[in-house]
């Protein structure tokens, strides 16, 4: 079952605050909000994580994140970090102090380095097998930890909501969550009256390429903006990117995201399916509607930039609405 904190909160499956209350948003300046955060942060929290485990936390002064996106979300909520994986720097360009420990890569984090930091809370990804495999070791070491999964904006918003409740920074939830949600809602409302085009989403990597459905952030954005993803009718494309099935549907748009080194991924795509003469006859190719999407908005989790991701794709799909979309984002 797909997990989001918002769903659990709505069902009262337990986000139990053990003390303290949130600060009101008001019109207080940032300095005032920061000074009050220590007073408004909760004393403890209990919630159910993405693996279905009940997590009880009493403190979060020394936080380690094993995923750069989640590290950024923690800081967007006003939290500080004691340790991160290399992707926080290499992919997200986070500016971290010299006192923040590097604890390996996102797929190969070092348990020894984690223990050396002496954390009181470790944030992990439920989608990375090597991190899931660390659950028992962290439990035996007595280190509080939780697994998260973020595929949609709603998932991000739920994580941010929890983190802001922990830090007491309701102002940062408003800034980095609620205001972003307002922009996305307006973009979706603007495009709702348009006739949705057909589309194909391709994920390319150095050894090949596969089509993707609505099981990833880009796929969800396409769905929210009214795109009829042809994979819904040709699930075999998820395993084998067949030019025959693509020709049959002849999608209006083709979107490409890349994993790993982009140059290598695109080179493999060009020497693969794009080398078939039929590729050039596709409507999307003929009408210059085949796009390589920017990684920072469509591969890495956009976090506070989710509205930018929606706006970017919406303007590709509905160029006649570009001016209105820009006004929403202004």
């Amino acid at each position: 079952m797909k997990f989001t904190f918002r769903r659990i909160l709505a069902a009262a499956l337990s986000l139990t605050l053990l003390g303290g209350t949130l600060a009101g948003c008001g019109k207080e300046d940032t300095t005032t909000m920061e000074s009050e955060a220590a007073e408004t942060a909760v004393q403890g929290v209990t919630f159910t994580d993405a693996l279905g485990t009940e997590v009880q936390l009493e403190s979060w002064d020394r936080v380690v994140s094993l995923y750069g996106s989640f590290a950024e979300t923690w800081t967007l909520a006003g939290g500080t970090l004691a340790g991160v994986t290399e992707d926080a720097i290499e992919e997200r360009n986070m500016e971290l102090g010299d006192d923040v420990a590097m604890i390996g890569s996102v797929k190969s984090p070092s348990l020894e380095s984690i223990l050396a930091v002496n954390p009181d809370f470790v944030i992990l990804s439920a989608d990375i097998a090597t991190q899931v495999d660390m659950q028992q070791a962290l439990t035996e070491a007595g280190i509080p930890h939780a697994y998260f999964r973020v595929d949609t904006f709603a998932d991000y918003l739920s994580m941010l909501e929890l983190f802001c409740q922990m830090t007491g920074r309701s102002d940062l939830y408003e800034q980095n969550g609620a205001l972003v949600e307002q922009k996305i809602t307006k973009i979706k409302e603007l495009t709702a009256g348009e006739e949705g085009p057909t589309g194909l989403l391709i994920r390319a990597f150095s050894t090949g390429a596969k089509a993707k459905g609505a099981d990833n952030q880009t796929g969800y954005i396409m769905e929210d903006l009214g795109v009829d993803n042809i994979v819904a009718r040709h699930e075999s494309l998820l395993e084998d990117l067949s030019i025959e099935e693509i020709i049959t549907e002849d999608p209006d748009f083709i979107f490409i995201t890349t994993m790993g080194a982009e140059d290598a991924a695109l080179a493999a795509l060009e020497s693969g399916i794009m080398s078939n003469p039929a590729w050039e006859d596709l409507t999307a190719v003929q009408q210059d509607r085949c796009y390589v999407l920017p990684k920072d908005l469509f591969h890495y989790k956009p976090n506070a930039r989710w509205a930018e991701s929606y706006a970017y794709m919406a303007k590709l799909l509905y160029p006649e609405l570009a001016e209105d979309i820009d006004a929403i984002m202004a």
Side-chain angles (χ1 to χ4, degrees), residues 16-22 39-45 60 165-166:
T16 304
L17 303 182
L18 303 180
T21 59
L22 287 174
E39 297 178 6
T40 60
V42 297
Q43 301 299 311
V45 63
W60 35 85
Q165 286 173 331
M166 292 165 66

Side-chain angles (χ1 to χ4, degrees), residues 191-267:
T191 60
E194 301 296 309
E195 182 178 353
T198 57
L200 169 66
L201 173 59
I202 297 175
R203 178 174 292 173
F205 38 94
S206 62
T207 58
K210 291 184 179 181
K212 298 296 293 181
D215 62 346
N216 60 95
Q217 65 194 60
T218 304
Y220 282 116
I221 293 172
M222 289 171 61
E223 186 175 63
D224 278 350
L225 294 177
V227 179
D228 176 12
N229 192 332
I230 68 172
V231 169
R233 292 182 295 281
H234 300 276
E235 292 187 2
S236 59
L237 288 170
L238 296 171
E239 297 299 329
D240 179 24
L241 199 58
S242 165
I243 189 67
E244 288 78 14
E245 291 184 319
I246 297 174
I247 291 171
T248 299
E249 289 287 345
D250 194 20
D252 299 313
F253 288 84
I254 297 175
F255 297 112
I256 301 168
T257 61
T258 60
M259 292 185 65
E262 183 165 287
D263 289 346
L266 294 179

Side-chain angles (χ1 to χ4, degrees), residues 29-189:
D29 60 31
T30 302
T31 302
T32 302
M33 293 303 300
E34 289 177 350
S35 66
E36 291 182 351
E39 297 178 6
T40 60
V42 297
Q43 301 299 311
V45 63
T46 300
F47 59 93
T48 302
D49 76 359
L51 297 185
T53 303
E54 184 177 273
V55 179
Q56 295 183 342
L57 300 175
E58 298 299 330
S59 63
W60 35 85
D61 296 323
R62 296 188 58 76
V63 174
V64 167
S65 175
L66 303 191
Y67 193 28
S69 169
F70 298 166
E72 183 179 70
T73 303
W74 177 247
T75 62
L76 288 171
T80 58
L81 293 158
V84 296
T85 43
E86 295 166 354
D87 60 310
I89 302 295
E90 296 174 355
E91 296 179 359
R92 308 206 73 86
N93 299 313
M94 293 183 68
E95 296 183 3
L96 302 169
D98 294 336
D99 58 338
V100 178
M102 291 295 151
I103 53 175
S105 70
V106 66
K107 291 188 176 180
S108 299
S110 167
L111 179 61
E112 181 179 359
S113 297
I114 294 172
L115 297 177
V117 173
N118 191 31
D120 51 13
F121 179 37
V122 177
I123 302 170
L124 305 97
S125 171
D127 291 322
I128 300 174
T130 51
Q131 295 193 21
V132 175
D133 291 342
M134 299 180 74
Q135 184 175 30
Q136 183 175 348
L138 290 172
T139 300
E140 292 177 350
I143 298 176
H145 58 280
Y147 286 86
F148 296 85
R149 177 176 289 116
V150 173
D151 290 322
T152 68
F153 173 70
D155 294 339
Y156 158 74
L157 201 62
S158 293
M159 172 188 267
L160 181 69
E161 183 176 36
L162 173 68
F163 287 174
C164 286
Q165 286 173 331
M166 292 165 66
T167 62
R169 295 298 304 275
S170 60
D171 61 315
L172 292 179
Y173 177 78
E174 178 72 15
Q175 174 184 318
N176 298 316
L179 292 179
V180 178
E181 183 178 32
Q182 290 176 19
K183 292 178 179 179
I184 291 174
T185 298
K186 289 179 181 179
I187 291 171
K188 289 166 64 176
E189 289 174 347

